[in-house]
Amino acid sequence: MQQELEKINQQLIRSQYKMTHQREATIRILLENEEDHLSAEKVYMLVKEKNENIGLATVYRTLELLCDLHIVEKMNFGDGVSRYDLRSDEHEHMHHHMICQICLEVKEIKDDWLKEIELRVQKEYGFKVSDHRLDFMGVYNNCNGKDCKKEDKLLA
Amino acid sequence: MQQELEKINQQLIRSQYKMTHQREATIRILLENEEDHLSAEKVYMLVKEKNENIGLATVYRTLELLCDLHIVEKMNFGDGVSRYDLRSDEHEHMHHHMICQICLEVKEIKDDWLKEIELRVQKEYGFKVSDHRLDFMGVYNNCNGKDCKKEDKLLA
DNA sequence: GTGACTGCAAAAGGTTTGCAGCGTA
DNA sequence: TACGCTGCAAACCTTTTGCAGTCAC
């Protein structure tokens, strides 16, 4: 995790950006919550919880910057806020997601199952795919919907 | 198209909703632009262009209603507005989309290529899929990006 | 030292809501 | 007639922007 942080820092510097406390704090939060899909507001709260000084506008600006550098992916699950997800190390494709309609939990599938289908898109539609997004809506077999009520998730 | 309209009307009535001019006009616009992915604002404009009286709030309320009935699908391509897409007749799955990064055109793939993959999600992750969303980002082989400038699309 | 970066507050969208009046069944 | 639906305007919420001051290099 320290070395991933370092890697991203280097990437910023290489691209002529300055490394500030706020940017580092933001990246650290993203790394610590790699499995989640944080909203800007949530990142802001988590940074402040650590007694680091930061403004919400800076969080937005940093996230946009990381997006431009393809370090994070901005996504939208339709609940009115944008969420940000670290791309995996190889910076290859976005993850696939499973969104449980009972508990609203979003889990990731890190395999890339679409290679074949992308070839088909290329062949049948003349469309060269450079990235994709695949979300499944459904229900976990073992979702009890008790310890993970919708309202809680929406507030989270 | 007339019979599709009729079908949706019946569905509304069956669900105890009233059939009003505004609702019918909205549905008609959606049917006439089935290939597009209209924003609420765009639907509003198109209805007004026909000299039908309607308020933007009503458009939003109607689209939400149609969403609840699974007649349209609300989606978000990350440009800050929600877009609405008629589900296909069988109301089965959402379409797949190809989003061109040069001209921003969104085209549909109506085949469902994910049956096998959904089985795999079920087996490997214990997640019962009821719907999915698949978007491809990339470039059309023959996209010239001339007659379809980004700015135009964003305003459209 | 200088240009990039930050925080604040205000502005800017898109979407939702309260309410009085209207129209459908 | 009664209740649902509509239009308007205000409210709301997330995100962006302008600007003066600060900080990294």
Side-chain angles (χ1 to χ4, degrees), chain B residues 3-4 10 35 38 47 59 68 103 111:
Chain B
Q3 77 187 42
E4 280 145 22
Q10 290 308 322
E35 294 302 311
L38 303 177
V47 173
V59 172
D68 290 347
C103 69
D111 315 300

mmCIF file of all heavy atoms in Angstrom, chain B residues 3-4 10 35 38 47 59 68 103 111:
data_model
loop_
_atom_site.group_PDB
_atom_site.id
_atom_site.type_symbol
_atom_site.label_atom_id
_atom_site.label_comp_id
_atom_site.label_asym_id
_atom_site.label_seq_id
_atom_site.Cartn_x
_atom_site.Cartn_y
_atom_site.Cartn_z
ATOM 1 N N GLN B 3 -49.782 0.618 -31.944
ATOM 2 C CA GLN B 3 -50.173 -0.495 -31.073
ATOM 3 C C GLN B 3 -49.253 -0.607 -29.861
ATOM 4 O O GLN B 3 -49.671 -1.066 -28.799
ATOM 5 C CB GLN B 3 -50.217 -1.812 -31.856
ATOM 6 C CG GLN B 3 -48.858 -2.422 -32.125
ATOM 7 C CD GLN B 3 -48.969 -3.627 -33.056
ATOM 8 O OE1 GLN B 3 -49.722 -3.594 -34.034
ATOM 9 N NE2 GLN B 3 -48.223 -4.674 -32.756
ATOM 10 N N GLU B 4 -48.024 -0.134 -30.040
ATOM 11 C CA GLU B 4 -47.124 -0.113 -28.882
ATOM 12 C C GLU B 4 -47.606 0.917 -27.867
ATOM 13 O O GLU B 4 -47.584 0.694 -26.662
ATOM 14 C CB GLU B 4 -45.691 0.216 -29.314
ATOM 15 C CG GLU B 4 -44.960 -0.985 -29.876
ATOM 16 C CD GLU B 4 -44.023 -0.612 -31.000
ATOM 17 O OE1 GLU B 4 -43.629 0.565 -31.072
ATOM 18 O OE2 GLU B 4 -43.708 -1.502 -31.815
ATOM 19 N N GLN B 10 -52.482 0.668 -21.868
ATOM 20 C CA GLN B 10 -53.192 -0.388 -21.135
ATOM 21 C C GLN B 10 -52.477 -0.723 -19.834
ATOM 22 O O GLN B 10 -53.087 -0.928 -18.798
ATOM 23 C CB GLN B 10 -53.298 -1.661 -21.985
ATOM 24 C CG GLN B 10 -54.244 -1.537 -23.166
ATOM 25 C CD GLN B 10 -55.621 -1.035 -22.761
ATOM 26 O OE1 GLN B 10 -56.153 -1.390 -21.706
ATOM 27 N NE2 GLN B 10 -56.197 -0.164 -23.586
ATOM 28 N N GLU B 35 -34.586 4.903 -30.710
ATOM 29 C CA GLU B 35 -33.159 4.610 -30.879
ATOM 30 C C GLU B 35 -32.280 5.533 -30.039
ATOM 31 O O GLU B 35 -31.106 5.268 -29.833
ATOM 32 C CB GLU B 35 -32.752 4.735 -32.342
ATOM 33 C CG GLU B 35 -33.382 3.699 -33.260
ATOM 34 C CD GLU B 35 -33.061 2.268 -32.830
ATOM 35 O OE1 GLU B 35 -31.879 1.986 -32.593
ATOM 36 O OE2 GLU B 35 -34.007 1.459 -32.714
ATOM 37 N N LEU B 38 -32.886 9.778 -24.638
ATOM 38 C CA LEU B 38 -33.261 11.149 -24.374
ATOM 39 C C LEU B 38 -33.113 11.513 -22.911
ATOM 40 O O LEU B 38 -33.385 10.701 -22.034
ATOM 41 C CB LEU B 38 -34.703 11.376 -24.809
ATOM 42 C CG LEU B 38 -35.047 11.065 -26.273
ATOM 43 C CD1 LEU B 38 -36.536 11.268 -26.516
ATOM 44 C CD2 LEU B 38 -34.232 11.935 -27.209
ATOM 45 N N VAL B 47 -41.784 17.393 -26.671
ATOM 46 C CA VAL B 47 -43.233 17.448 -26.459
ATOM 47 C C VAL B 47 -43.745 18.849 -26.757
ATOM 48 O O VAL B 47 -44.744 19.031 -27.449
ATOM 49 C CB VAL B 47 -43.615 17.038 -25.027
ATOM 50 C CG1 VAL B 47 -45.093 17.276 -24.771
ATOM 51 C CG2 VAL B 47 -43.280 15.578 -24.778
ATOM 52 N N VAL B 59 -42.802 15.910 -16.856
ATOM 53 C CA VAL B 59 -41.973 14.986 -17.610
ATOM 54 C C VAL B 59 -41.184 14.113 -16.644
ATOM 55 O O VAL B 59 -41.168 12.885 -16.773
ATOM 56 C CB VAL B 59 -41.010 15.740 -18.542
ATOM 57 C CG1 VAL B 59 -40.023 14.769 -19.175
ATOM 58 C CG2 VAL B 59 -41.774 16.479 -19.620
ATOM 59 N N ASP B 68 -40.775 2.940 -12.854
ATOM 60 C CA ASP B 68 -41.318 2.026 -11.845
ATOM 61 C C ASP B 68 -42.027 0.850 -12.497
ATOM 62 O O ASP B 68 -42.012 -0.263 -11.975
ATOM 63 C CB ASP B 68 -42.311 2.768 -10.936
ATOM 64 C CG ASP B 68 -41.613 3.766 -10.033
ATOM 65 O OD1 ASP B 68 -40.362 3.704 -9.949
ATOM 66 O OD2 ASP B 68 -42.295 4.610 -9.433
ATOM 67 N N CYS B 103 -17.137 10.731 -31.293
ATOM 68 C CA CYS B 103 -18.339 11.499 -31.624
ATOM 69 C C CYS B 103 -19.405 11.417 -30.534
ATOM 70 O O CYS B 103 -20.421 12.087 -30.615
ATOM 71 C CB CYS B 103 -18.910 11.046 -32.963
ATOM 72 S SG CYS B 103 -19.609 9.386 -32.947
ATOM 73 N N ASP B 111 -28.795 -7.688 -29.179
ATOM 74 C CA ASP B 111 -28.611 -9.080 -28.799
ATOM 75 C C ASP B 111 -28.240 -9.153 -27.330
ATOM 76 O O ASP B 111 -27.689 -8.220 -26.773
ATOM 77 C CB ASP B 111 -27.452 -9.701 -29.596
ATOM 78 C CG ASP B 111 -27.524 -9.332 -31.057
ATOM 79 O OD1 ASP B 111 -28.521 -9.668 -31.681
ATOM 80 O OD2 ASP B 111 -26.570 -8.682 -31.550
#
